[in-house]
Amino acid sequence: MARTLVVQLARLGDLIQTIPAITALKMADQTRGLDLLCPSLLTPIGRLIPGVDRVLEWDGTVWHRWAEEASHDLSPAHLEQATKQLEALASHQYETAYVLNHHRRALLAASLLADEVRGSVLDGPLGTTLSPWASYVREVALTGRGSRVHLADAFCGLCGVPPPGRPPVLKQSSPQLPLPLEPIGRRGEPWVGLIVGAGAAERLVPTETWKTWVVRFLEAAPAGRVVLLGEERERGRRIQDLLPSSLLGRVWDVTGRTSLLDLVTILRRCHSVIGSDTGPLHLAAAVGVKVIGWYFARAGVHETGPYGVGHVVWQAEDSNGEGHRERTNVQPVRWPIEETVGLLVQGQQFKIAPRVPGWSVWVSHCDQWGGYYTEVGGRFGPPLEREHLWRALSPSIIDGSAVGAT
Amino acid sequence: MSHGSENLEKLGRRDSALVEAVRSAAGSVLSLTPSREGSVTAKYGDRWVHSSYDPRKEARVWADAQLKEWKDQEIGVVFGVGLLYHVESLALLKPDGRRLAVIVPDVSVLKDALGARPLGPWLETIEWIWGKPADMARHLADLGNPLRFMTYASAASLHEAVHREVEASLRQMVAVRQGGYLRIAVVGPIYGGSLPIARYVTAALESLGHHVIWIDHSVHHTSYERFNSYRDVRHRLTMQGRFAEILSLDTVARLADDPPDLVLAVAQAPLTAGVLDHVRKKKFLTVMWFVENYRHLTYWRQLASGYDYWFVLQQGDCVEALRKAGAAHVHYLPMAANPQAFYPCSLTETERREYGADVSFVGAGYQNRRALLPRWLSPEWTFKLWGNEWEGAADLASVLQRRGSRIDTETCRKVFNATTINLNLHSYNGPSLDPQADFVNPRTFELAACGAFQLTDDRSLLPELFTDQEVVRFRSPDEVPHLIRRWLHDHEARRAVVEAARRRVLAHHTYRHRMEELLAVIGLRQPDRIGAILRGDRNAGALAARAETPPELETLLDRFPRDQRVELKDMADEIRTKGAGRRLAREELLILLLDSYRSETRDLV
């Protein structure tokens, strides 16, 4: 049986965005054996992705150490130990490797492990000729031109398969949590997961703002609970410090104390999860929880909004009113605190989520052309650009038979 | 058969000549006594050579520590004989195939060791290095492999002088065999006397073929000086301190731009302890040449542990003080001359009138000079005083040139050349000669390099640099007038002295010699890193010739000139240049992959 390798060496958010491509590859050929190469730290998540037979752990720290040694004294021994490491990863050569991020390292790793490499670059690991989909993604990143094709679907394009047509959901992990965390999600309702951090400093919501959000939510939802999530323990502690002591029993701070699998279980136990454009937010969407995103700085809802159906994103608009259409560093003047609390507590439907000055509100859908967002209260349906783009960039793989879901 | 006879028999299978030498030796250098755990231990005088409790355990701990550093291909060289417990431990613990040598400065000690206890078959595996220091050095140099020195301090201290001699000879031999070139960042000061030295160091390293990254902070001098205009001295000190911190970070950014093999800072280089710590964590090798009197400038205390290697102008107390302050390696490295800046030159008549005198002194107005120079003025000779910081020296006003302005190197050279007798009085903040006169200043070497005659105050370290036939010394201020009279009109005698001095400088005391010495010291201490580069082990030819090099890598190495140093980065660059568009070999992909991680390892700033 021909075996395929998907290479994703970037961060958690990128790995989650890779799930639709893996699903689509598997759908295109059910007999295909499919493995995933991802950073060691992310392998627990990799193992939950449907369709993945085996997860290969890429240990970057070991390569860093060898590189440090080899930079002082390059010897054949370095190449020998690197070869052994690769052999330990995969005993056989893959027929095809799909490289989903345009990083030279991923291309090189794929070239070492597979006979053929597909994805971002057409002419080998040193090549500069981007594939059509990689050119498109790069252009969006460089020019800031608003895209209506989701990054996860562009990954499908890189793999030469159409989007799966429905949002994939991660497999079940252990429902158990370590004893101190076990009460999370058990008593009270609703439980909201609040992701306190972000991968980039400009995407951090101020702790003062989060504190206000928590206070307002707990005031509005007398039985509600909040779980502070993420790796940034200091930020979690800071938010806790700012809260009135009367609320502390209803706020669980697990920042910096959970494994990735614990995080998955906690996210599953939450009714909703709120945060900026971060890996854990996408993870929440991937486990099937409804997500509310605050997108600002350079985050754009159409490219990297949580993938799936029924997620809501408040997108900060640029001062020129272009909002997400221009890739500028948009920093909000005010935050949609009352509006998101209202959405969660008063049982308002996502489709009538209230508007906030300086922000637009979007809700997610999924159909045969992939994930997309429509503006709440807007008159427009699924954007046509996606179909045009798929026909332009991948004319041979589009048959239009996928069933959409909204 | 006694221990001694059995051991001698084993030794004889390895080195029969040494057995004869042991038989002829007197022995009884060490006094033997039982240790607490029962095995024999030894004292030298009232000092323990091995543990009085458990010499075997102590030796094992020492051997374990050595093994962590000792790499394959390196020959371990042990300083210190004692009762050989440590050598035994190392010989038994070392991986098969590694070679171990022991320096034997005194065969009598070895005789004591052989007679003290039965020794196992490991004795036959040791390479014994004995004889005169120069012969031992030659023996070591001829071993062919990189050497890893291991000092068993309590035993080695018996023969420190011999070990120093062996090392010095070895360094000289290693220096002339240099086959590879380093990338060295030289960090200079913002201003001051060490600035020209930093430039000479740079030039010397370049002349040796090394790639030098000159981090010149003198371009910031004007800005630094502007802080002197503050009325409040606290403001000045604060701003100058902060400015130095910024320049320290500037150094780090430059190191990140072009990562060197080692960072050589010259005294007063603006590198803070925090930055040095950061740089060391990033695995840069740091070296300081402290071309200052350690008693006058004492900031070395804060920086001692910050540099991997210290080179200093003074011996004894200076070396000890730095070690106590946390310096890992301290070595004596005297000043030198740059023959391209200081050389004999013919002067025009106008220049002779301007710069010439019977007696001259060039230098700043330190207290001892203010007190002594007036005593050496006389109607019997003309006298000129050059240099700055002479404000208020009324009794020298008549001889002070250019109103006491600072003079440049070219003027200095002309004064040296135009003067019949140059006085060389080392600086000291006291009323007379420096009572702790040890180091030799740069002027001594520069005058000699110019072929200029000098009278120099006596320094304890001068005799090992110049003989009395090369530099004339005075031991008290009263001697000076007599010496001036003695030499002023004896042209032939002066000529003999200055020619000998110049020959000596050119043969032994240039910055090129100092840099060879400095690199040889580090090379011997870092056989797997700096030493390997200096030996040429990183050159394309040597890498290709390694037995374990696979043919694919050999093909890649063949693209480089054989004597060109090749690092991971160079190979990756070569592959990137010529590899686009073709299918890359596995080795090429691996090199590119490793290089992609290497390029992230210098995220310094």
Side-chain angles (χ1 to χ4, degrees), chain A residues 58 60 63-64 67-68 71-76 83 86 105 108 112 115 126, chain B residues 283 538 543 546 548-549 567 571 575 583 589-590 593-594 596-598 600-601:
Chain A
W58 188 257
W63 285 91
H64 262 299
E68 177 74 22
S71 67
H72 293 311
D73 174 19
L74 176 65
S75 78
T83 300
L86 291 169
R105 186 175 300 158
L108 290 164
L112 282 159
D115 295 329
L126 292 176
Chain B
K283 307 275 176 69
R538 302 279 190 278
L543 285 170
R546 286 188 190 182
E548 69 273 22
T549 300
E567 299 285 343
M571 293 185 88
I575 296 166
R583 194 172 181 85
L589 290 167
L590 287 171
L593 193 51
L594 284 170
S596 81
Y597 282 95
R598 177 206 58 81
E600 283 181 10
T601 59

mmCIF file of all heavy atoms in Angstrom, chain A residues 58 60 63-64 67-68 71-76 83 86 105 108 112 115 126, chain B residues 283 538 543 546 548-549 567 571 575 583 589-590 593-594 596-598 600-601:
data_model
loop_
_atom_site.group_PDB
_atom_site.id
_atom_site.type_symbol
_atom_site.label_atom_id
_atom_site.label_comp_id
_atom_site.label_asym_id
_atom_site.label_seq_id
_atom_site.Cartn_x
_atom_site.Cartn_y
_atom_site.Cartn_z
ATOM 1 N N TRP A 58 8.743 14.968 15.477
ATOM 2 C CA TRP A 58 9.925 15.731 15.050
ATOM 3 C C TRP A 58 10.483 16.463 16.262
ATOM 4 O O TRP A 58 9.873 17.406 16.768
ATOM 5 C CB TRP A 58 9.533 16.732 13.958
ATOM 6 C CG TRP A 58 10.731 17.405 13.359
ATOM 7 C CD1 TRP A 58 11.184 18.665 13.611
ATOM 8 C CD2 TRP A 58 11.636 16.848 12.404
ATOM 9 N NE1 TRP A 58 12.308 18.926 12.893
ATOM 10 C CE2 TRP A 58 12.611 17.821 12.139
ATOM 11 C CE3 TRP A 58 11.727 15.603 11.765
ATOM 12 C CZ2 TRP A 58 13.656 17.618 11.242
ATOM 13 C CZ3 TRP A 58 12.771 15.396 10.878
ATOM 14 C CH2 TRP A 58 13.707 16.389 10.618
ATOM 15 N N GLY A 60 12.710 18.912 17.500
ATOM 16 C CA GLY A 60 13.531 20.063 17.081
ATOM 17 C C GLY A 60 14.699 20.332 18.012
ATOM 18 O O GLY A 60 15.756 20.781 17.570
ATOM 19 N N TRP A 63 17.705 18.333 16.978
ATOM 20 C CA TRP A 63 18.330 18.889 15.769
ATOM 21 C C TRP A 63 19.090 20.171 16.089
ATOM 22 O O TRP A 63 20.166 20.423 15.535
ATOM 23 C CB TRP A 63 17.266 19.134 14.702
ATOM 24 C CG TRP A 63 16.810 17.868 14.049
ATOM 25 C CD1 TRP A 63 15.771 17.081 14.436
ATOM 26 C CD2 TRP A 63 17.419 17.218 12.925
ATOM 27 N NE1 TRP A 63 15.679 15.980 13.621
ATOM 28 C CE2 TRP A 63 16.672 16.044 12.684
ATOM 29 C CE3 TRP A 63 18.497 17.522 12.107
ATOM 30 C CZ2 TRP A 63 16.981 15.166 11.645
ATOM 31 C CZ3 TRP A 63 18.805 16.649 11.067
ATOM 32 C CH2 TRP A 63 18.058 15.489 10.847
ATOM 33 N N HIS A 64 18.528 20.950 16.988
ATOM 34 C CA HIS A 64 19.231 22.178 17.411
ATOM 35 C C HIS A 64 20.587 21.822 18.026
ATOM 36 O O HIS A 64 21.596 22.471 17.749
ATOM 37 C CB HIS A 64 18.387 22.931 18.450
ATOM 38 C CG HIS A 64 17.579 24.039 17.871
ATOM 39 N ND1 HIS A 64 18.137 25.113 17.233
ATOM 40 C CD2 HIS A 64 16.244 24.249 17.815
ATOM 41 C CE1 HIS A 64 17.196 25.926 16.812
ATOM 42 N NE2 HIS A 64 16.037 25.433 17.145
ATOM 43 N N ALA A 67 22.975 20.656 15.421
ATOM 44 C CA ALA A 67 23.405 21.790 14.586
ATOM 45 C C ALA A 67 24.461 22.607 15.313
ATOM 46 O O ALA A 67 25.445 23.053 14.726
ATOM 47 C CB ALA A 67 22.205 22.656 14.230
ATOM 48 N N GLU A 68 24.261 22.780 16.611
ATOM 49 C CA GLU A 68 25.223 23.535 17.423
ATOM 50 C C GLU A 68 26.581 22.819 17.391
ATOM 51 O O GLU A 68 27.616 23.443 17.187
ATOM 52 C CB GLU A 68 24.676 23.626 18.858
ATOM 53 C CG GLU A 68 25.581 24.323 19.842
ATOM 54 C CD GLU A 68 25.612 25.819 19.651
ATOM 55 O OE1 GLU A 68 24.658 26.358 19.063
ATOM 56 O OE2 GLU A 68 26.612 26.435 20.054
ATOM 57 N N SER A 71 28.120 22.920 13.896
ATOM 58 C CA SER A 71 28.623 24.227 13.474
ATOM 59 C C SER A 71 30.025 24.457 14.013
ATOM 60 O O SER A 71 30.788 25.242 13.480
ATOM 61 C CB SER A 71 27.672 25.343 13.918
ATOM 62 O OG SER A 71 27.672 25.434 15.316
ATOM 63 N N HIS A 72 30.372 23.770 15.124
ATOM 64 C CA HIS A 72 31.733 23.886 15.657
ATOM 65 C C HIS A 72 32.664 22.868 15.009
ATOM 66 O O HIS A 72 33.843 23.128 14.838
ATOM 67 C CB HIS A 72 31.743 23.670 17.168
ATOM 68 C CG HIS A 72 31.050 24.752 17.912
ATOM 69 N ND1 HIS A 72 31.311 26.081 17.686
ATOM 70 C CD2 HIS A 72 30.085 24.714 18.850
ATOM 71 C CE1 HIS A 72 30.555 26.814 18.470
ATOM 72 N NE2 HIS A 72 29.795 26.015 19.179
ATOM 73 N N ASP A 73 32.126 21.704 14.716
ATOM 74 C CA ASP A 73 32.996 20.634 14.215
ATOM 75 C C ASP A 73 32.155 19.672 13.385
ATOM 76 O O ASP A 73 31.669 18.661 13.899
ATOM 77 C CB ASP A 73 33.632 19.905 15.418
ATOM 78 C CG ASP A 73 34.417 18.691 14.970
ATOM 79 O OD1 ASP A 73 34.762 18.617 13.776
ATOM 80 O OD2 ASP A 73 34.679 17.815 15.808
ATOM 81 N N LEU A 74 31.991 20.023 12.128
ATOM 82 C CA LEU A 74 31.202 19.158 11.257
ATOM 83 C C LEU A 74 31.975 17.869 11.008
ATOM 84 O O LEU A 74 33.135 17.907 10.613
ATOM 85 C CB LEU A 74 30.926 19.863 9.919
ATOM 86 C CG LEU A 74 30.182 19.001 8.899
ATOM 87 C CD1 LEU A 74 28.790 18.670 9.398
ATOM 88 C CD2 LEU A 74 30.118 19.692 7.562
ATOM 89 N N SER A 75 31.335 16.770 11.294
ATOM 90 C CA SER A 75 32.003 15.498 11.030
ATOM 91 C C SER A 75 30.970 14.518 10.482
ATOM 92 O O SER A 75 29.768 14.709 10.670
ATOM 93 C CB SER A 75 32.638 14.950 12.313
ATOM 94 O OG SER A 75 31.640 14.382 13.112
ATOM 95 N N PRO A 76 31.435 13.467 9.832
ATOM 96 C CA PRO A 76 30.500 12.471 9.316
ATOM 97 C C PRO A 76 29.591 11.913 10.403
ATOM 98 O O PRO A 76 28.470 11.507 10.133
ATOM 99 C CB PRO A 76 31.416 11.386 8.764
ATOM 100 C CG PRO A 76 32.677 12.098 8.425
ATOM 101 C CD PRO A 76 32.828 13.164 9.456
ATOM 102 N N THR A 83 20.949 10.591 10.267
ATOM 103 C CA THR A 83 20.352 9.520 9.454
ATOM 104 C C THR A 83 19.652 8.505 10.341
ATOM 105 O O THR A 83 18.537 8.076 10.065
ATOM 106 C CB THR A 83 21.455 8.821 8.628
ATOM 107 O OG1 THR A 83 22.057 9.808 7.789
ATOM 108 C CG2 THR A 83 20.886 7.710 7.764
ATOM 109 N N LEU A 86 16.361 9.755 11.512
ATOM 110 C CA LEU A 86 15.327 9.683 10.477
ATOM 111 C C LEU A 86 14.861 8.245 10.281
ATOM 112 O O LEU A 86 13.669 7.986 10.092
ATOM 113 C CB LEU A 86 15.866 10.248 9.160
ATOM 114 C CG LEU A 86 16.110 11.764 9.165
ATOM 115 C CD1 LEU A 86 16.878 12.188 7.935
ATOM 116 C CD2 LEU A 86 14.785 12.512 9.233
ATOM 117 N N ARG A 105 12.819 24.054 6.239
ATOM 118 C CA ARG A 105 13.109 22.880 7.065
ATOM 119 C C ARG A 105 12.101 21.757 6.796
ATOM 120 O O ARG A 105 12.461 20.588 6.727
ATOM 121 C CB ARG A 105 13.046 23.305 8.529
ATOM 122 C CG ARG A 105 13.444 22.272 9.503
ATOM 123 C CD ARG A 105 13.452 22.867 10.864
ATOM 124 N NE ARG A 105 14.387 23.982 10.919
ATOM 125 C CZ ARG A 105 14.330 24.964 11.819
ATOM 126 N NH1 ARG A 105 13.378 24.980 12.713
ATOM 127 N NH2 ARG A 105 15.228 25.932 11.818
ATOM 128 N N LEU A 108 12.879 20.158 3.521
ATOM 129 C CA LEU A 108 14.050 19.279 3.598
ATOM 130 C C LEU A 108 13.704 17.969 4.294
ATOM 131 O O LEU A 108 14.096 16.887 3.835
ATOM 132 C CB LEU A 108 15.183 19.993 4.346
ATOM 133 C CG LEU A 108 15.817 21.170 3.596
ATOM 134 C CD1 LEU A 108 16.623 22.043 4.551
ATOM 135 C CD2 LEU A 108 16.703 20.664 2.472
ATOM 136 N N LEU A 112 13.787 14.169 2.640
ATOM 137 C CA LEU A 112 14.552 13.045 3.191
ATOM 138 C C LEU A 112 13.674 11.823 3.426
ATOM 139 O O LEU A 112 14.155 10.695 3.401
ATOM 140 C CB LEU A 112 15.211 13.468 4.510
ATOM 141 C CG LEU A 112 16.475 14.317 4.351
ATOM 142 C CD1 LEU A 112 16.751 15.106 5.617
ATOM 143 C CD2 LEU A 112 17.673 13.440 4.009
ATOM 144 N N ASP A 115 9.796 9.983 -1.538
ATOM 145 C CA ASP A 115 10.326 10.030 -2.911
ATOM 146 C C ASP A 115 9.860 11.291 -3.626
ATOM 147 O O ASP A 115 10.589 11.874 -4.425
ATOM 148 C CB ASP A 115 9.840 8.808 -3.690
ATOM 149 C CG ASP A 115 10.411 7.525 -3.108
ATOM 150 O OD1 ASP A 115 11.538 7.591 -2.578
ATOM 151 O OD2 ASP A 115 9.744 6.481 -3.155
ATOM 152 N N LEU A 126 15.238 23.357 -2.626
ATOM 153 C CA LEU A 126 15.929 24.637 -2.809
ATOM 154 C C LEU A 126 15.191 25.532 -3.795
ATOM 155 O O LEU A 126 15.640 26.631 -4.099
ATOM 156 C CB LEU A 126 17.354 24.402 -3.313
ATOM 157 C CG LEU A 126 18.298 23.744 -2.320
ATOM 158 C CD1 LEU A 126 19.654 23.487 -2.969
ATOM 159 C CD2 LEU A 126 18.465 24.605 -1.093
ATOM 160 N N LYS B 283 27.658 30.000 23.755
ATOM 161 C CA LYS B 283 28.803 29.173 23.374
ATOM 162 C C LYS B 283 29.889 29.925 22.611
ATOM 163 O O LYS B 283 30.673 29.311 21.909
ATOM 164 C CB LYS B 283 28.357 27.956 22.545
ATOM 165 C CG LYS B 283 27.272 27.131 23.187
ATOM 166 C CD LYS B 283 27.880 26.129 24.149
ATOM 167 C CE LYS B 283 26.829 25.335 24.887
ATOM 168 N NZ LYS B 283 26.079 24.419 24.114
ATOM 169 N N ARG B 538 39.838 21.362 10.158
ATOM 170 C CA ARG B 538 38.563 21.753 9.554
ATOM 171 C C ARG B 538 38.729 22.130 8.077
ATOM 172 O O ARG B 538 37.792 22.601 7.453
ATOM 173 C CB ARG B 538 37.973 22.946 10.299
ATOM 174 C CG ARG B 538 37.740 22.722 11.739
ATOM 175 C CD ARG B 538 36.432 21.968 11.963
ATOM 176 N NE ARG B 538 36.102 21.972 13.363
ATOM 177 C CZ ARG B 538 36.598 21.140 14.261
ATOM 178 N NH1 ARG B 538 37.435 20.192 13.883
ATOM 179 N NH2 ARG B 538 36.268 21.206 15.521
ATOM 180 N N LEU B 543 39.239 17.115 6.184
ATOM 181 C CA LEU B 543 37.913 16.509 6.392
ATOM 182 C C LEU B 543 37.694 15.356 5.410
ATOM 183 O O LEU B 543 37.196 14.293 5.776
ATOM 184 C CB LEU B 543 36.811 17.558 6.205
ATOM 185 C CG LEU B 543 36.624 18.575 7.353
ATOM 186 C CD1 LEU B 543 35.677 19.692 6.922
ATOM 187 C CD2 LEU B 543 36.079 17.896 8.595
ATOM 188 N N ARG B 546 39.478 12.071 6.320
ATOM 189 C CA ARG B 546 39.052 11.266 7.472
ATOM 190 C C ARG B 546 38.495 9.932 6.978
ATOM 191 O O ARG B 546 37.705 9.887 6.034
ATOM 192 C CB ARG B 546 37.949 11.975 8.250
ATOM 193 C CG ARG B 546 38.429 13.143 9.063
ATOM 194 C CD ARG B 546 37.266 13.620 9.920
ATOM 195 N NE ARG B 546 37.576 14.874 10.565
ATOM 196 C CZ ARG B 546 36.734 15.492 11.399
ATOM 197 N NH1 ARG B 546 35.560 14.967 11.664
ATOM 198 N NH2 ARG B 546 37.073 16.629 11.950
ATOM 199 N N GLU B 548 36.316 8.016 8.158
ATOM 200 C CA GLU B 548 34.869 7.760 8.276
ATOM 201 C C GLU B 548 34.043 8.638 7.344
ATOM 202 O O GLU B 548 32.817 8.547 7.342
ATOM 203 C CB GLU B 548 34.416 7.952 9.732
ATOM 204 C CG GLU B 548 34.439 9.374 10.255
ATOM 205 C CD GLU B 548 35.797 9.786 10.831
ATOM 206 O OE1 GLU B 548 36.814 9.159 10.459
ATOM 207 O OE2 GLU B 548 35.837 10.735 11.614
ATOM 208 N N THR B 549 34.695 9.508 6.575
ATOM 209 C CA THR B 549 33.937 10.391 5.681
ATOM 210 C C THR B 549 33.328 9.587 4.535
ATOM 211 O O THR B 549 34.050 8.927 3.779
ATOM 212 C CB THR B 549 34.864 11.488 5.106
ATOM 213 O OG1 THR B 549 35.398 12.231 6.193
ATOM 214 C CG2 THR B 549 34.093 12.426 4.178
ATOM 215 N N GLU B 567 33.136 24.819 7.073
ATOM 216 C CA GLU B 567 32.216 24.604 8.174
ATOM 217 C C GLU B 567 30.857 24.227 7.605
ATOM 218 O O GLU B 567 30.635 24.304 6.391
ATOM 219 C CB GLU B 567 32.098 25.883 9.017
ATOM 220 C CG GLU B 567 33.392 26.351 9.640
ATOM 221 C CD GLU B 567 33.825 25.506 10.836
ATOM 222 O OE1 GLU B 567 32.981 24.765 11.368
ATOM 223 O OE2 GLU B 567 35.003 25.557 11.212
ATOM 224 N N MET B 571 29.422 24.600 3.669
ATOM 225 C CA MET B 571 28.921 23.497 2.842
ATOM 226 C C MET B 571 27.478 23.759 2.428
ATOM 227 O O MET B 571 27.094 23.517 1.281
ATOM 228 C CB MET B 571 29.014 22.176 3.603
ATOM 229 C CG MET B 571 30.457 21.759 3.838
ATOM 230 S SD MET B 571 30.571 20.166 4.605
ATOM 231 C CE MET B 571 30.581 19.143 3.181
ATOM 232 N N ILE B 575 25.999 24.103 -1.334
ATOM 233 C CA ILE B 575 24.876 23.297 -1.851
ATOM 234 C C ILE B 575 23.786 24.214 -2.382
ATOM 235 O O ILE B 575 23.211 23.975 -3.450
ATOM 236 C CB ILE B 575 24.320 22.374 -0.744
ATOM 237 C CG1 ILE B 575 25.384 21.367 -0.314
ATOM 238 C CG2 ILE B 575 23.066 21.647 -1.216
ATOM 239 C CD1 ILE B 575 25.071 20.650 0.984
ATOM 240 N N ARG B 583 18.182 17.070 -8.159
ATOM 241 C CA ARG B 583 17.854 16.214 -7.016
ATOM 242 C C ARG B 583 19.068 16.170 -6.083
ATOM 243 O O ARG B 583 20.184 15.874 -6.520
ATOM 244 C CB ARG B 583 17.502 14.815 -7.524
ATOM 245 C CG ARG B 583 16.840 13.972 -6.458
ATOM 246 C CD ARG B 583 16.320 12.673 -7.035
ATOM 247 N NE ARG B 583 15.681 11.896 -5.992
ATOM 248 C CZ ARG B 583 14.414 12.044 -5.624
ATOM 249 N NH1 ARG B 583 13.664 12.946 -6.237
ATOM 250 N NH2 ARG B 583 13.893 11.308 -4.655
ATOM 251 N N LEU B 589 20.979 17.043 1.748
ATOM 252 C CA LEU B 589 19.746 17.409 2.450
ATOM 253 C C LEU B 589 19.994 17.514 3.954
ATOM 254 O O LEU B 589 19.516 18.435 4.614
ATOM 255 C CB LEU B 589 18.661 16.363 2.168
ATOM 256 C CG LEU B 589 18.095 16.352 0.739
ATOM 257 C CD1 LEU B 589 17.278 15.086 0.497
ATOM 258 C CD2 LEU B 589 17.236 17.577 0.484
ATOM 259 N N LEU B 590 20.763 16.571 4.473
ATOM 260 C CA LEU B 590 21.040 16.588 5.916
ATOM 261 C C LEU B 590 21.835 17.826 6.308
ATOM 262 O O LEU B 590 21.576 18.451 7.337
ATOM 263 C CB LEU B 590 21.811 15.320 6.322
ATOM 264 C CG LEU B 590 20.992 14.029 6.342
ATOM 265 C CD1 LEU B 590 21.895 12.824 6.534
ATOM 266 C CD2 LEU B 590 19.944 14.078 7.455
ATOM 267 N N LEU B 593 19.559 20.724 6.321
ATOM 268 C CA LEU B 593 18.648 20.658 7.458
ATOM 269 C C LEU B 593 19.363 21.106 8.742
ATOM 270 O O LEU B 593 18.840 21.923 9.514
ATOM 271 C CB LEU B 593 18.134 19.222 7.598
ATOM 272 C CG LEU B 593 16.947 18.980 8.521
ATOM 273 C CD1 LEU B 593 15.795 19.916 8.210
ATOM 274 C CD2 LEU B 593 16.470 17.539 8.386
ATOM 275 N N LEU B 594 20.571 20.582 8.949
ATOM 276 C CA LEU B 594 21.334 20.995 10.127
ATOM 277 C C LEU B 594 21.608 22.500 10.076
ATOM 278 O O LEU B 594 21.516 23.199 11.082
ATOM 279 C CB LEU B 594 22.666 20.230 10.191
ATOM 280 C CG LEU B 594 22.580 18.775 10.648
ATOM 281 C CD1 LEU B 594 23.912 18.071 10.425
ATOM 282 C CD2 LEU B 594 22.191 18.686 12.125
ATOM 283 N N SER B 596 19.827 24.757 8.730
ATOM 284 C CA SER B 596 18.633 25.559 9.010
ATOM 285 C C SER B 596 18.461 25.723 10.518
ATOM 286 O O SER B 596 17.961 26.744 10.983
ATOM 287 C CB SER B 596 17.390 24.910 8.388
ATOM 288 O OG SER B 596 16.902 23.872 9.200
ATOM 289 N N TYR B 597 18.890 24.728 11.286
ATOM 290 C CA TYR B 597 18.848 24.881 12.751
ATOM 291 C C TYR B 597 20.011 25.744 13.246
ATOM 292 O O TYR B 597 19.857 26.546 14.152
ATOM 293 C CB TYR B 597 18.868 23.505 13.429
ATOM 294 C CG TYR B 597 17.522 22.829 13.399
ATOM 295 C CD1 TYR B 597 17.187 21.925 12.400
ATOM 296 C CD2 TYR B 597 16.565 23.118 14.363
ATOM 297 C CE1 TYR B 597 15.946 21.315 12.367
ATOM 298 C CE2 TYR B 597 15.313 22.521 14.331
ATOM 299 C CZ TYR B 597 15.009 21.619 13.333
ATOM 300 O OH TYR B 597 13.771 21.042 13.299
ATOM 301 N N ARG B 598 21.182 25.559 12.622
ATOM 302 C CA ARG B 598 22.334 26.377 13.030
ATOM 303 C C ARG B 598 22.022 27.865 12.929
ATOM 304 O O ARG B 598 22.360 28.652 13.802
ATOM 305 C CB ARG B 598 23.545 26.063 12.139
ATOM 306 C CG ARG B 598 24.774 26.925 12.447
ATOM 307 C CD ARG B 598 25.688 27.071 11.247
ATOM 308 N NE ARG B 598 25.031 27.649 10.102
ATOM 309 C CZ ARG B 598 24.832 28.948 9.923
ATOM 310 N NH1 ARG B 598 25.253 29.800 10.833
ATOM 311 N NH2 ARG B 598 24.209 29.404 8.861
ATOM 312 N N GLU B 600 19.567 29.382 13.503
ATOM 313 C CA GLU B 600 18.708 29.872 14.587
ATOM 314 C C GLU B 600 19.422 29.868 15.927
ATOM 315 O O GLU B 600 18.850 30.297 16.916
ATOM 316 C CB GLU B 600 17.473 28.984 14.723
ATOM 317 C CG GLU B 600 16.439 29.252 13.663
ATOM 318 C CD GLU B 600 15.219 28.378 13.849
ATOM 319 O OE1 GLU B 600 15.117 27.724 14.890
ATOM 320 O OE2 GLU B 600 14.395 28.351 12.936
ATOM 321 N N THR B 601 20.643 29.368 15.954
ATOM 322 C CA THR B 601 21.296 29.210 17.250
ATOM 323 C C THR B 601 21.987 30.473 17.726
ATOM 324 O O THR B 601 22.466 30.528 18.818
ATOM 325 C CB THR B 601 22.335 28.080 17.215
ATOM 326 O OG1 THR B 601 23.291 28.406 16.204
ATOM 327 C CG2 THR B 601 21.693 26.754 16.934
#
